Amino acid sequence: MFFVDTIETEGLGNRCHLAGGAEHAVAVDPPRDVDRVLAAAAARGVRLTHVLETHLHDDHLTGGPGLARLTGAAYLVPAGAGASCPHVPVHDGDRVHVGAALTLRALATPGHTPHHTAYVLEESGTPVAAFTGGSLPIGPVGRPDLVEPRLTERLARDHYASAHRLAAELPDGTAVLPTHGFGGCSASARPGLAAGTAGPSTVGAEKSAGDAFAKDADTFVADLLAGLDDIPAHYARTAPRDAAGPAPDDLAPPAAVAASLLDAAGREVVLVDDAFDAAAGAGLPVARPACARVSVRQAHARTGPRGGAVLLDVREEDEWRAGHAPGAVHLPLSVLLAADGVPEAVRDREAVVVCRSGQRSQKGARALAERGARAVDVEGGMRAWARAGHPVVDEHGNRGTIA
């Protein structure tokens, strides 16, 4: 038996797919925040053997190199994509064995990009799912104008041919599992379909409803080109970074899950969030952070009338308005990191930096320490503060809440 879990990044219109069997799995087009993929793999009790890209992405930074680095999985990228980071090039027809009866087969599907590749999951030789990236989305098709203006029309025609190749080679019941679509910027417009349309689909359903099957090639290309709008400005910066491989990932919760996988792979685990305490308690090797941490009890004492320290809250505006500690000073982390020097509120006093759970506060405390300030961060953040029974007020002074 096989499984497929979908990990969605709302707003970008992107989805990652984790697929595998009883012991092993692959991840297709992973997001930058790879902790979600690690958590899904841990929940299934499987080990990642391969991380695959259907293409190099323009709209978002990939988590592919980082996920492969953390798990020891092979990182597969379509040949000709221009990736300069360590990877295994994939060609049309290549196969990847996922388990005893599971295989992934690469199908060249140019259109969204010249190197675009789909992956067909086969169980005992029968196609059961197709990870189609931007070549056969549910809804808008992947836009063909992201590479070179002179190639746009040719790629639009390639799009049409790729959709028909998938339809010809796969049974109607094969599940269609794209990466792009669902209202994302990498998708072109599809008349009559609302942004964000998502439901599950099959090759047969797309043959009945998809533009590439309802129109001839010339009409499909003309309508596709007419629906293209301006390319978002950040695409020009994202694509080169994905080709080179983004910097190593900063893991967010569920950190104990990530820590266990890191330890199993022989990696050092660095404490950046209070959730890593579970990993330390389990006897995993944990390197403590550069800045000192204090408990919420210590933070309450240090920032009280006799303590003299400033409780510096680095959460975002909406988090602050919903609930914060009385007397705290608000300075979002993004503002703190963008500014030079030490904020006036903490120039002559110790800064006790707090966020929601203890990740952003560590970054803020480290930045202040590097600028010469005295700074510690609060273990567990405002969630631990509220659980301990310390007061929380909203923007009007009433009882507040912590998400």
Side-chain angles (χ1 to χ4, degrees):
M1 291 295 292
F2 72 94
F3 72 86
V4 176
D5 291 335
T6 299
I7 301 166
E8 184 169 5
T9 302
E10 295 183 4
L12 283 179
N14 288 323
R15 290 179 174 181
C16 164
H17 303 288
L18 179 74
E23 298 181 354
H24 305 109
V26 300
V28 182
D29 292 335
R32 182 71 165 115
D33 46 343
V34 298
D35 60 297
R36 293 192 290 158
V37 185
L38 292 171
R44 287 283 186 178
V46 294
R47 180 174 68 86
L48 277 178
T49 58
H50 298 81
V51 176
L52 307 101
E53 305 282 8
T54 56
H55 61 293
L56 290 185
H57 310 279
D58 294 85
D59 60 346
H60 70 285
L61 287 178
T62 178
L67 185 59
R69 204 162 35 232
L70 289 170
T71 61
Y75 182 48
L76 277 59
V77 181
S84 57
C85 60
H87 69 284
V88 178
V90 178
H91 301 83
D92 185 43
D94 284 353
R95 292 179 179 271
V96 169
H97 295 285
V98 184
L102 294 176
T103 303
L104 275 179
R105 176 166 59 97
L107 279 179
T109 49
H112 185 42
T113 66
H115 61 268
H116 192 286
T117 299
Y119 301 97
V120 178
L121 181 65
E122 298 177 347
E123 184 176 38
S124 300
T126 300
V128 291
F131 305 103
T132 58
S135 60
L136 191 61
I138 303 168
V141 297
R143 54 192 305 165
D145 60 335
L146 301 180
V147 179
E148 157 63 52
R150 290 172 294 183
L151 296 179
T152 299
E153 183 174 351
R154 192 198 85 187
L155 289 176
R157 293 189 179 277
D158 288 344
H159 237 318
Y160 184 88
S162 292
H164 280 263
R165 180 188 182 186
L166 289 167
E169 295 194 19
L170 301 178
D172 283 355
T174 306
V176 173
L177 299 166
T179 299
H180 294 318
F182 328 110
C185 294
S186 276
S188 60
R190 175 160 152 183
L193 186 68
T197 298
S201 187
T202 62
V203 168
E206 288 303 301
K207 285 165 64 175
S208 299
D211 285 355
F213 307 101
K215 304 173 181 177
D216 60 61
D218 290 338
T219 304
F220 172 83
V221 169
D223 289 349
L224 178 57
L225 299 183
L228 298 174
D229 54 9
D230 293 337
I231 298 174
H234 74 276
Y235 278 31
R237 299 187 299 272
T238 304
R241 290 184 65 185
D242 276 342
D249 303 279
D250 180 11
L251 293 178
V257 172
S260 65
L261 292 171
L262 286 168
D263 181 57
R267 307 298 203 272
E268 182 181 46
V269 179
V270 178
L271 177 63
V272 294
D273 191 275
D274 58 290
F276 271 106
D277 288 349
L284 295 174
V286 175
R288 291 288 163 179
C291 293
R293 311 198 86 176
V294 297
S295 67
V296 291
R297 181 183 61 80
Q298 292 170 316
H300 187 259
R302 291 194 187 196
T303 58
R306 298 181 181 180
V310 176
L311 186 63
L312 189 67
D313 193 322
V314 296
R315 295 175 300 155
E316 295 301 315
E317 182 67 31
D318 57 340
E319 296 174 286
W320 166 266
R321 290 198 304 267
H324 58 270
V329 173
H330 183 221
L331 183 65
L333 179 63
S334 57
V335 177
L336 171 61
L337 297 181
D340 295 323
V342 178
E344 183 176 354
V346 296
R347 282 180 186 166
D348 300 316
R349 300 165 66 185
E350 180 184 46
V352 177
V353 188
V354 68
C355 64
R356 186 179 69 152
S357 64
Q359 183 180 3
R360 287 171 286 176
S361 59
Q362 177 64 205
K363 295 179 182 178
R366 184 182 298 113
L368 289 172
E370 290 172 350
R371 299 173 192 177
R374 291 180 296 140
V376 297
D377 88 300
V378 181
E379 185 174 12
M382 286 302 298
R383 290 192 296 192
W385 177 281
R387 286 197 301 267
H390 298 311
V392 176
V393 297
D394 65 13
E395 58 182 327
H396 304 295
N398 302 317
R399 183 175 181 178
T401 60
I402 305 296

